[in-house]
Amino acid sequence: MSTKPRLFSGMQPSADSLQIGNYIGALLQWKEMQSTNDAIFCVVDLHALTVPQDPALLREQTRRTVAQYIAAGIDPERSILFIQSHVPAHPELAWILNTLTGFGEASRMTQFKDKAAKQGTDAASVGLFAYPTLMAADILLYDTNVVPVGDDQKQHIELTRDLANRFNSRFGTTFVVPEPVILKATARIYDLQNPEAKMSKSAASDSGVVWMLDEPSKTAKKIKAAVTDDDRVVRFDRAAKPGVSNLLTILSAFTSTPVADLEASFEGRGYGDLKSTVADAVVATFEPIRSRALELLADPAELDRILATNADRAEAIAQPKLDEVYDRIGLLPRR
Ligand code: TYM
């Protein structure tokens, strides 16, 4: 048994490529935390179904997400890297948690409210409403201690903690109550064209989204076209200078340099310089990740082999936990 803290996190395979916010807000931390934690990373395909998906595309995007995890430095031998739908304990525990979640409590989830408003409440599915309880199941099945995410996931982790405490006090201690790990400085990366809005895989326009698998020249062009302001000073000020602040956050993450040092180094230099520096830093990191991901995708059989082994490793942890839950709540075991 490992004595390291258990880490669990995941992403939806909801686009052909991950975007720079997924990389900075999640992947970069995941990679670094692998050595100090007993880490489990999931591609949450069942979550992706909460909005309409094309079947062939979903399969393709799922493999592409796996390839990007590995290319960005997730090691599927040291860590566990698996697909959510390969381990049926996830939706099974989610059902149990649904029965413990208040309708009002689920209705207060801001991500549900935002997504439902976007689609129109009538078009929003029950699955979308139950998204957070499936996420709670993901986390609680593995006795997770830490969950590294971007700040848009904070409320879901609070719900997960509430559900763990509720279950434990009603049925006896069963679940570990997890802690979110949200790095303040990089918790939210904004759209390059609309720096008031979070960058998202599902943004209406592609022009402000930096994709990990885009061609380097395209990435550089997008960054050079980022919206800034009429002022000329390279200074971090989220309220007054959202575009410049976002570029500084990105550069800071890609160069491991504090924002204050970057501000000092850009004194007397203009936005053109800043944008070129950011573009170079992002391309230098993403180019090898892109090549490696494309290489991995050229051999889908090998990827599927890795996923099969990893699903077994995940299931060996999740199934006994689900069995314990079924027993605690009084379901008659099948003999
Ligand atoms: P997803 O796929 O929407 O996002 C994956 C991760 O990327 C982070 N992120 C961002 N961080 C900073 N700036 C951004 N613009 C940005 N956009 C996305 C998200 O915070 C997230 O960490 N519900 C989860 C998936 C999930 C999960 C889980 C996570 C399902 N089960 C269990 C942790 C534990 C999600 O939003 O994925």
Side-chain angles (χ1 to χ4, degrees), residues 4-5 32-38 78:
K4 293 177 182 171
E32 284 166 9
M33 293 174 84
Q34 277 183 118
S35 52
T36 46
N37 292 273
D38 180 12
R78 178 161 56 164

Side-chain angles (χ1 to χ4, degrees), residues 122-160:
D122 284 343
S125 67
V126 172
L128 185 66
F129 188 62
Y131 183 111
T133 44
L134 179 57
M135 178 162 164
D138 297 340
I139 297 168
L140 297 179
L141 277 171
Y142 296 90
D143 288 338
T144 301
N145 304 105
V146 289
V147 189
V149 282
D151 84 340
D152 57 342
Q153 297 305 309
K154 200 169 162 190
Q155 197 186 24
H156 291 159
I157 296 175
E158 273 159 20
L159 176 71
T160 304

Side-chain angles (χ1 to χ4, degrees), residues 8-12 19 21-22 25-26 44 47 111 131 135 138-139 147-153 156 186-189 198-199 201:
F8 186 100
S9 201
M11 285 191 204
Q12 300 186 64
Q19 42 90 0
N22 302 132
V44 294
H47 275 115
Q111 196 156 66
Y131 183 111
M135 178 162 164
D138 297 340
I139 297 168
V147 189
V149 282
D151 84 340
D152 57 342
Q153 297 305 309
H156 291 159
T186 56
R188 190 169 283 243
I189 302 299
K198 186 188 81 166
M199 193 185 288
K201 292 201 261 342

Side-chain angles (χ1 to χ4, degrees), residues 51-304:
V51 296
Q53 301 287 344
D54 173 84
L57 213 58
L58 177 61
R59 258 190 292 276
E60 172 65 16
Q61 289 173 182
T62 301
R63 277 210 192 93
R64 287 175 82 91
T65 305
V66 171
Q68 288 172 91
Y69 280 16
I70 299 175
I74 301 304
D75 177 350
E77 286 181 12
R78 178 161 56 164
S79 303
I80 298 178
L81 191 183
F82 76 107
I83 308 288
Q84 187 184 35
S85 64
H86 292 178
V87 180
H90 290 242
E92 289 176 339
L93 178 59
W95 176 257
I96 306 296
L97 297 177
N98 280 338
T99 68
L100 297 172
T101 307
F103 191 85
E105 193 175 27
S107 308
R108 283 191 292 277
M109 294 293 118
T110 53
Q111 196 156 66
F112 169 71
K113 288 196 279 190
D114 291 350
K115 287 191 182 174
K118 245 191 219 166
Q119 293 176 44
T121 318
D122 284 343
S125 67
V126 172
L128 185 66
F129 188 62
Y131 183 111
T133 44
L134 179 57
M135 178 162 164
D138 297 340
I139 297 168
L140 297 179
L141 277 171
Y142 296 90
D143 288 338
T144 301
N145 304 105
V146 289
V147 189
V149 282
D151 84 340
D152 57 342
Q153 297 305 309
K154 200 169 162 190
Q155 197 186 24
H156 291 159
I157 296 175
E158 273 159 20
L159 176 71
T160 304
R161 292 170 53 86
D162 289 346
L163 289 172
N165 282 318
R166 191 172 305 161
F167 190 100
N168 288 347
S169 65
R170 230 176 260 180
F171 302 106
T173 303
T174 309
F175 293 127
V176 171
V177 181
E179 298 285 341
V181 178
I182 300 170
L183 289 189
K184 256 218 177 82
T186 56
R188 190 169 283 243
I189 302 299
Y190 296 84
D191 190 284
L192 296 184
Q193 287 301 318
N194 178 13
E196 311 285 344
K198 186 188 81 166
M199 193 185 288
S200 161
K201 292 201 261 342
S202 52
S205 157
D206 174 73
S207 57
V209 183
V210 176
W211 302 104
M212 229 158 84
L213 296 185
D214 253 356
E215 285 183 17
S217 59
K218 216 165 154 189
T219 297
K221 212 167 151 190
K222 270 188 188 171
I223 294 172
K224 288 178 184 165
V227 165
T228 48
D229 52 55
D230 298 335
D231 189 28
R232 286 222 182 118
V233 190
V234 176
R235 178 169 55 82
F236 189 95
D237 182 339
R238 211 19 286 137
K241 300 167 73 67
V244 171
S245 303
N246 193 36
L247 290 172
L248 283 169
T249 306
I250 293 173
L251 187 57
S252 170
F254 276 79
T255 58
S256 310
T257 311
V259 166
D261 294 1
L262 294 174
E263 284 174 329
S265 75
F266 278 97
E267 221 180 290
R269 294 163 68 193
Y271 292 166
D273 257 7
L274 173 65
K275 289 180 185 176
S276 304
T277 311
V278 175
D280 289 348
V282 172
V283 165
T285 303
F286 277 1
E287 199 168 20
I289 294 180
R290 175 175 187 268
S291 317
R292 179 74 187 120
L294 296 180
E295 213 174 86
L296 288 161
L297 284 165
D299 189 356
E302 172 60 9
L303 274 184
D304 291 353

